[in-house]
Every structure is written in structure tokens, then in C-alpha cells.
Amino acid sequence: MPEQQPSLDDSFIIPIGPQHPALKEFEYFELRVDGEEIIDVSVRLGYNHRGIEKAIESRTYTQNLYLIERICGICSHAHTTCYCQAIEELLGVTIPDRARYIRTIVAELERIHSHLLWLGIAAHEIGFDTLFMYIWADREIVMDLLELISGNRVNYAMNTIGGVTRDMSPELLDNIREGIAKLESRARFYKDLCVEEGSVMQRVVGVGVLQPEDALHLCAVGPTLRACGIANDLRKDDPYAAYDAVSFNVITYDGCDVASRMFVRIDELIESVRVIDQCLHCMPPGPHKVKVVRKVPSGEVVSRVEAPRGELIHYARSNGTDQPERYKVRAPTLANMPALRKMLVGGYIADVPIVIAGIDPCFGCLDRMSLVDVKTGRNWIWSSDQLRRHSLTWRQQA
Amino acid sequence: MSQRQGNTSEESTLSVLISYLGQGRTIEAKTPRARRAFLTLPPESFRDALAFLVNEEGFRHLSTVTAVDVNDHMEVIYHLSSGGVSLSLRIPVPKDKLVVPSIVDLVPGAVLYEREVHELFGIVFEGHPDLRPLLLPDCWPEGLYPMRKNLSLVQIRGVLADARATAKLGR
């Protein structure tokens, strides 16, 4: 790398994003670079801003259940759990124990599917497509289970205000038991593989470093925070559903880099299997939902859930009618945005794909990328594929 | 298991904070259930309270900032947390002067949350480093705040339809 003081005149602006046809979120990053080094990052969100909070205010609580399910395609169950908890608290309703356990099982299956999805994407971003295909093939095990439970691969529609919409039969519980045993052995296999495989470790160790002090200052959440050695997990700290009745470990690693974020997620796969296993063992009998009234008494509530990507917080205010007065949603990716900036600055363009993917946001914004030379105004467009190829060749030369 | 070591209980945090702030500087305090606390403060004592919570009481994590359009005023709510305890600090802001001091110097993680509230509600965070638009489309008219109660969905659709008609916004 040339030893040069970064100055504005020598720098390029690299816009990344915002559009990708296949993925769940859109983001627009503008990287200011000097040669290969990133000297500043700014972010413009909202390419796909749908105004859901405004929409929620003009719909009934039942209609909102379906809207909130669709905030995210990956962690839809986390959002509805958060929503249902909030409304149940406003109503003063206690849901049946069986519903709490079913919510927990689906939440952990969702975490497994989300983490496997992430792991596959991470493998792809570092140019290890064989690993990506292996992982996504194994992800089908959990997708099949979710489909068996709910009839859907995403947007399971399992939660309802007052419990869950579907019960689980003994045969279904057996199927889940069988599935998670397979998933556990695969998770252990991937952990060994990542530790031993030099081509994985070289691309993730010491990349995208976030100091623990910065993570706390910038209010990072979830695996991003836990990879800085900070044990923070709402399932333990602020238990909901059946998490107070099961035992599991909060996984932390203290490498503060993409490698740690990877191992936190792999170990969490195994912990999720433990949680599901305990739920299956002591699944209480009884009804899976209670009937609730349509009108919600005035009040306010803060509801929090540990989604696969970290702390999810909803704030609800009711006014005695069947529509909320105000409903606020803050998903974990937004919380990790300021920290992401910290991880990127000082790093190399070649590491942008894996560092952005490291917080598990929408990596899709890398689809279309234009490089602008600020001196000549010349610019060219890179697809995510070209960027990835650049990243691989550059890494091989380095 | 639900109560881990080091967690301050919500009631004791509130009483410590109220006695720190002194007589008459809090409007309302409540703890509706375990691990939840709500505190309403006048705008002039809220930065004091926030600094005390962040620096002395371990409430270093800001989950988000919520604004609520109540009939005659707005509320800005800061959702802080320490371990499992979530404490919401609420400050009422009069509609004729929608200005509150920014807390980015105390909690750097507030930077995007304040920007979002500014854009959607028109509340100005004094001292914030960058209040440029973050979420709404580039064609969105300045001075129009979609989350305010006086702007209906029909009006919002109208604004977007106009932008489409003049090709400032794609389909």
C-alpha cells in the first residue's frame, strides 16, 4: 500500500447501492476512499422506506398483525412476537404456557435459519462458494421444519394476540427433534471446518474491527456486540416467551472482528438446538391461545425481543379504540449502522463486502456500485460480482 | 435466572434518579411491571438526568428515540436500557417551539435515531452534527412531516403522486 496522507483531493467517492432485486433491505453507502483505503463512510437509508409506522396507526390491531409480520422477510416471527407481547401486556392478557413454548421453538428455528443464511452469504462474500452451497443445502432442513409447522417458509403467521395460531402435534414434535439433531451435527462440522480452513480464517481474522468501547458508545446490538466480548442477550436479561424456563449460554467472543461475529453465530446455532430440545421435552399440555377483545385500553408499553440480528424494540401507545395511537419499531440493523461505519473506516475496499455482511444487514446493496474519480469525474459501474472478483484478486496479490 | 447479578432494579433506579434531580424536577414516574420504567421530565432537567443515567447508573445503551404527536404538544421518548431494565425518559415539547438539545455528545449511538425523528416529525435536535434527510425520497418537500397527525395518508399519497407526475420519483 502506498504511504499517503489521505486528502480530499486524492480521494474517490464510491457509492454502493441502493438497489438489488432479490434481497430484503436496501441501503445506500457512500465510501470516500484513498487508493484502497476507506477514509470515510456515509449512509443514506430509506430506498425502500414503506411508512409502516404511519400505516399501523390507521389499521386495527388484528390487521396490524399481518402488516408487522411483513416488516422483515427473515425475522418475521421476531417482529410478531414483539408486537403480540406488547398488545397482550396492554390488554392484561396472560397467554397459555403451551403458546409460550411454541413461540420459543419457532423463534429458535428462525434464528437457526437466519444464522445459516448469514453463514452461507459470508462464505460467498469471501469467495468460498462451495461452502455457501453446502450451508444453504443444510438450511433446507430448517426451512422444511418451518414449513411443516406453519405451512410457510417465511412469514410463518404463527403468532396471534393471545397465543399462537397453530398447535403442534406429537408427530410434528418428533420431526422437529429429528431435524435439529441433524442441524446440530452440521453446525459442529462447520465450526471445525472454519477453524481449520485457512482460506476462511485469512479473510475474516482482524477484518472489520470494532473496539468494545466503540460498540457500547454506538449502541450496537446482537451478535455484533457479543463478538466484542460483551454478554448481552435479551433472552437472558429480559426474558420473554419461555426463555426463563430453559437454560442456554450467551455466546461471546472477544476478537472484535468478522471471525468473532462468525463464531458467535455458529455457536448460537448449537445453543438454539439446546433451547428447542428443552422445549420439546417439557412442552406443557393445554390450549395454545386465548380469546382477546378487539379494543385495547389506553396505555403504553415497551416490548423487546432478541431477534437473530440483535435487540428488537417496539413501543406501543393505545387510546382505547381498536387502532393504536402510535407504534414505533426499531429493528436491529439500524442500531448497528453507526458501528458499521466504524468497522469500515481504515479498512480496504476489498473487505467491504464481508464487513458489511458481518453485521448481517442487507448485503444486497452491493449489487450495483459506481466508482467516481473526483479529479476527472470519470466513473464506472461495478456489479456486486465484479466487486467480489476485485476483492478476491486483490487479496491474492496482497 | 431472570434476575442476574449487577442488574439494578427499576424502582431503585428511579428513586435514585429522582433524588439526584431534586424536588420538583420530575413530572411523573411509573414502573408498570418488572424491568420497565417510565419517567416524564421537563426539557430543562432531562440532559442532566440522561448524563447521570449514562455515566453513573450504567444505562449506556440507547435502544431508540420515539416521538409521539399528542394533541397540543409532542413527546420525545428516549428508551435507555441497562441489562434487562428498560427505562423510557419522556420529555414534552410545545408545538410552537419544537427544539430539544441533542444527546449525541453523551450517547454517540443516538445519531441516526435523532435524525429519523427530525425528518419524520420536524423536531430540531440542537447541536446534532448532521440533520440531513435520511429516510424519505429526495423529492419529498421540505417542511412536510409525514408522522404528524395532521398529515393524512391521503395527503401523503398525493405528494408522492405529484412527484411521480413530474418524474421526480419512479413508479
Side-chain angles (χ1 to χ4, degrees), chain A residues 104-151:
Chain A
T104 309
I105 292 174
V106 178
E108 291 310 311
L109 287 173
E110 183 179 74
R111 191 178 319 276
I112 293 175
H113 117 69
S114 178
H115 281 3
L116 283 175
L117 180 136
W118 179 85
L119 203 57
I121 293 292
H124 172 71
E125 299 295 4
I126 59 174
F128 198 167
D129 276 335
T130 314
L131 182 58
F132 157 68
M133 285 172 199
Y134 265 76
I135 292 169
W136 276 41
D138 286 331
R139 180 171 164 267
E140 286 304 305
I141 301 170
V142 67
M143 298 310 282
D144 286 347
L145 288 180
L146 286 164
E147 191 178 349
L148 215 53
I149 293 167
S150 70

Side-chain angles (χ1 to χ4, degrees), chain A residues 44-45 237 300 317 326, chain B residues 4 67 75 90 134 138:
Chain A
R44 170 81 157 85
L45 307 175
D237 300 334
E300 64 180 337
R317 176 163 320 171
R326 173 85 173 96
Chain B
R4 289 207 306 169
E75 284 176 3
R90 180 205 327 269
L134 180 69
D138 293 339

Side-chain angles (χ1 to χ4, degrees), chain B residues 3 6-14 31 35 57 59 85:
Chain B
Q3 204 62 42
N7 276 3
T8 44
S9 93
E10 52 288 348
E11 284 93 355
S12 76
T13 305
L14 275 191
T31 50
R35 302 188 299 276
E57 291 291 300
F59 281 82
V85 181

